[in-house]
Amino acid sequence: MKQEQKPSGGYRYNRISFFLNGRFRSLEIAPGISTLDLITKQLHLYGTKCSCNEGDCGACTVVIAQPREGSIVYEAITSCLYPAAKLHGKHLITVEGLGSPQLLHPIQKALLEHHGTQCGYCTPGFVMSLFACLASISHPDHESILAALEGNLCRCTGYQSILDAAAELSRTQDPGTIVPQWCRDIEPKLFAFDQLPQEVHRPSASHFQISRYLLPKDLDQLKEMLAEYPRAFLIAGGTDIMVQVNVQRKRFGTLIDLSNLPELNQIKLSRAGIHIGAAVSYTQIMDSGIVRCDLPELVRLCRLIASKQIRNFGTLAGNIGNASPIGDSLPLLLVYEARLLLSSQRGCRECALQDFFIGYRLTVLKEDEFIREIIIPIPPRSAFIKSLKTAKRRAVDISSVVSAIRIEEDGRATLTFGGVAAQPVFSEFFAQSFSPTADWSALAELVAREFTPLSDVRGSADYRRQMIINHILRYQEAYHA
Ligand SMILES: Cc1cc2nc3c(=O)[nH]c(=O)nc-3n(C[C@H](O)[C@H](O)[C@H](O)COP(=O)(O)OP(=O)(O)OC[C@H]3O[C@@H](n4cnc5c(N)ncnc54)[C@H](O)[C@@H]3O)c2cc1C
Ligand code: FES
Ligand code: FES
């Protein structure tokens, strides 16, 4: 892992330009400041609330409007984890923009009429999550509403009143009535936005956790920056990094943000498979036609990762770069035989994902290298591919054990796990011993003995061994169904 960089004398600010509730703003922001801190501490808009500051509660939810593939998308994000520098060129919509006590927005009115608000602390977050949902989907069904709200916690209402309000909104409203005209007026300006963020150097006595936040505009600039600051940290969505900033108070020297790079923002198909750019969010993966068609299990798994507000800017590359043994995507990517395209100023190289991890949170990535894309060969339709995640809740929860299986038509099989060793692992025993007629129960007992999981807050070693067995038995059921 990279060592911390000591901040050099003086501090770098970013001058970013964006739209806030229908008005153009151009501001100097402290390096790495979150959107939540920008809104509340610098712009003194207090409607957006802070509760956990680590992505778990949704009280800080705001909506970002930005161009994507020829249209404007409205997406809810947790502003406590969203670096404000990412706002450049986008439209930030907060609860203050939507309505006022004199003139409530239809969503606020419905929540009020259905008693969907009590202490009110969570309410701005619910309003903004519903706004993004109803702005994006005409008459969303119950499942879509639940998905939109899975990242919002409420201590008081019991949720039913909020769901009743959402159901009425879904019946009576559509994007035309939900999205105010002042949002529509901004949309063409987002397409035409051509300013670049500026780096402003200021000597300052203030003490920032991050001394420099860089936003390269293309791959060449990124490579130059990595050559100049070889010990810089990369940030894609920021949903792992910003937790370290907010909660662990970790200090970073230079952060280089990959999210503006067009080359990293695409999903494409080649003979080698599906290429997912390193800045592509989980939501973009789930919405992609080619992924849905050829990698349906990846879409199903993404749906179980974090919450809607986090999937809207968290990335698969960040899950890999984080190299956590319980990263949810890793076992499935391993059975897909995914490869990584790694890039630096010296050129590109490909690396099989299984060779990428070399120990607990250790990878083969060199200091000036970055993951450019994830390449997933399209498996044959006859292959049986499934993934399972054990966690205490369905949404917004990290796994205790996560696994994936692949069985080919000819009986060759691979089984992978996260959460049972220092890094995601294959079961060699399963690969050697599996046959379609094998005794799955006996196999499961023996696979469980192959690993020595740790005990931690998410589960004891014994619990994890039992989960290994349970996962294999669930795969047996699905395979024979
Ligand atoms: C509330 C909450 C719930 C969560 N739930 C889940 C969950 O259910 N399952 C799960 O697996 N994770 C979960 N996470 C963790 C996190 O959201 C994921 O790991 C996500 O995929 C990280 O992506 P990111 O783009 O935000 O990463 P970032 O925070 O931007 O980066 C993560 C790491 O990857 C490195 N990195 C990023 N991009 C690159 C690149 N292109 N090349 C090389 N290195 C790179 C960064 O330097 C950093 O070390 C959760 C996080 C939160 C806050
Ligand atoms: S404050 Fe809880 S998710 Fe941001
Ligand atoms: S109304 Fe009190 S937390 Fe939701």
Side-chain angles (χ1 to χ4, degrees):
M1 282 184 92
K2 292 184 184 183
Q3 292 301 306
E4 297 282 332
Q5 249 179 339
K6 290 269 180 293
S8 53
Y11 289 91
R12 261 77 173 177
Y13 289 74
N14 288 101
R15 172 164 281 282
I16 58 160
S17 304
F18 62 107
F19 297 90
L20 171 63
N21 294 329
R23 286 184 49 213
F24 180 76
R25 306 293 299 248
S26 184
L27 298 175
E28 257 179 44
I29 56 164
I33 187 177
S34 72
T35 296
L36 179 62
D37 281 350
L38 173 73
I39 300 169
T40 53
K41 295 181 182 159
Q42 194 169 335
L43 299 171
H44 306 291
L45 294 172
Y46 300 115
T48 307
K49 300 291 184 269
C50 178
S51 180
C52 66
N53 216 17
E54 56 178 324
D56 279 325
C57 74
C60 66
T61 303
V62 296
V63 169
I64 304 286
Q66 60 182 312
R68 185 171 303 143
E69 291 172 9
S71 59
I72 298 289
V73 292
Y74 288 82
E75 290 180 332
I77 52 114
T78 44
S79 63
C80 63
L81 299 183
Y82 195 81
K86 286 183 187 292
L87 294 173
H88 184 78
K90 298 176 184 160
H91 187 187
L92 167 64
I93 303 156
T94 70
V95 72
E96 288 87 353
L98 279 196
S100 64
Q102 295 73 34
L103 191 60
L104 294 179
H105 185 273
I107 297 174
Q108 293 165 319
K109 202 158 167 278
L111 282 171
L112 183 69
E113 286 168 359
H114 285 269
H115 309 286
T117 175
Q118 288 187 26
C119 82
Y121 202 78
C122 69
T123 308
F126 275 96
V127 169
M128 299 316 293
S129 288
L130 282 171
F131 174 66
C133 174
L134 294 157
S136 316
I137 311 175
S138 236
H139 308 296
D141 60 15
H142 185 63
E143 279 303 307
S144 307
I145 291 170
L146 286 182
L149 297 181
E150 69 191 0
N152 292 82
L153 294 183
C154 174
R155 298 174 301 152
C156 314
T157 63
Y159 297 102
Q160 191 52 51
S161 43
I162 297 173
L163 292 175
D164 290 345
E168 189 205 291
L169 286 161
S170 168
R171 271 195 312 277
T172 57
Q173 308 285 328
D174 61 32
T177 53
I178 286 292
V179 181
Q181 190 52 43
W182 53 264
C183 284
R184 296 292 185 211
D185 293 342
I186 300 294
E187 290 182 357
K189 298 181 185 163
L190 297 175
F191 282 113
F193 203 87
D194 62 357
Q195 298 177 33
L196 289 175
Q198 285 172 292
E199 213 202 330
V200 188
H201 185 248
R202 300 237 179 279
S204 168
S206 322
H207 199 62
F208 293 116
Q209 275 175 265
I210 297 161
S211 62
R212 192 181 293 113
Y213 195 103
L214 303 174
L215 284 155
K217 66 172 180 5
D218 58 34
L219 268 182
D220 289 340
Q221 220 181 50
L222 169 63
K223 289 176 189 170
E224 280 164 26
M225 286 174 180
L226 281 169
E228 191 177 350
Y229 305 107
R231 294 167 78 191
F233 285 81
L234 298 168
I235 178 164
T239 63
D240 277 313
I241 295 252
M242 291 301 280
V243 173
Q244 295 168 31
V245 172
N246 292 356
V247 181
Q248 296 156 18
R249 310 304 297 167
K250 191 166 168 185
R251 300 178 63 78
F252 289 95
T254 301
L255 280 178
I256 304 182
D257 189 317
L258 306 176
S259 56
N260 274 355
L261 302 181
E263 301 93 332
L264 268 53
N265 251 307
Q266 43 188 333
I267 300 180
K268 56 185 198 233
L269 189 60
S270 80
R271 288 162 72 104
I274 295 178
H275 301 239
I276 300 178
V280 169
S281 69
Y282 287 115
T283 298
Q284 286 170 275
I285 293 174
M286 292 165 73
D287 288 347
S288 153
I290 45 176
V291 179
R292 291 165 80 103
C293 176
D294 289 316
L295 306 171
E297 193 59 16
L298 180 61
V299 174
R300 208 187 61 77
L301 178 75
C302 288
R303 171 75 187 76
L304 301 177
I305 293 180
S307 62
K308 182 96 174 161
Q309 291 102 310
I310 300 220
R311 293 195 295 273
N312 281 339
F313 64 112
T315 66
L316 208 52
N319 207 233
I320 297 167
N322 198 38
S324 161
I326 44 169
D328 277 340
S329 70
L330 309 179
L332 182 61
L333 291 175
L334 284 172
V335 302
Y336 274 138
E337 298 170 357
R339 302 183 65 75
L340 303 178
L341 182 63
L342 308 178
S343 190
S344 73
Q345 223 169 15
R346 288 168 285 115
C348 287
R349 63 177 173 129
E350 270 195 33
C351 170
L353 184 65
Q354 74 177 94
D355 300 328
F356 185 70
F357 303 109
I358 49 173
Y360 179 68
R361 304 197 90 154
L362 288 176
T363 71
V364 296
L365 200 70
K366 301 211 165 65
E367 275 197 338
D368 62 343
E369 265 183 332
F370 59 93
I371 302 167
R372 183 170 165 168
E373 58 188 37
I374 302 132
I375 307 163
I376 309 179
I378 297 175
R381 297 231 172 242
S382 57
F384 169 83
I385 298 179
K386 287 268 172 282
S387 181
L388 283 173
K389 162 174 178 170
T390 299
K392 293 200 175 71
R393 293 195 287 165
R394 214 178 111 186
V396 208
D397 207 356
I398 307 286
S399 306
S400 46
V401 173
V402 58
S403 69
I405 193 169
R406 172 171 177 160
I407 305 175
E408 307 290 348
E409 207 176 9
D410 62 9
R412 279 177 302 127
T414 41
L415 176 66
T416 51
F417 287 99
V420 304
Q423 65 191 74
V425 280
F426 283 90
S427 165
E428 285 179 17
F429 183 80
F430 191 83
Q432 285 160 13
S433 317
F434 179 81
S435 78
T437 53
D439 175 348
W440 287 67
S441 305
L443 213 54
E445 294 285 343
L446 292 167
V447 172
R449 281 192 225 152
E450 195 181 344
F451 302 107
T452 42
L454 282 179
S455 293
D456 67 11
V457 284
R458 294 200 180 86
S460 65
D462 284 345
Y463 173 80
R464 288 193 155 104
R465 273 198 208 92
Q466 186 59 49
M467 287 308 111
I468 293 175
I469 295 172
N470 291 5
H471 281 209
I472 295 175
L473 296 181
R474 295 256 316 264
Y475 287 136
Q476 177 192 14
E477 263 174 43
Y479 184 66
H480 291 299

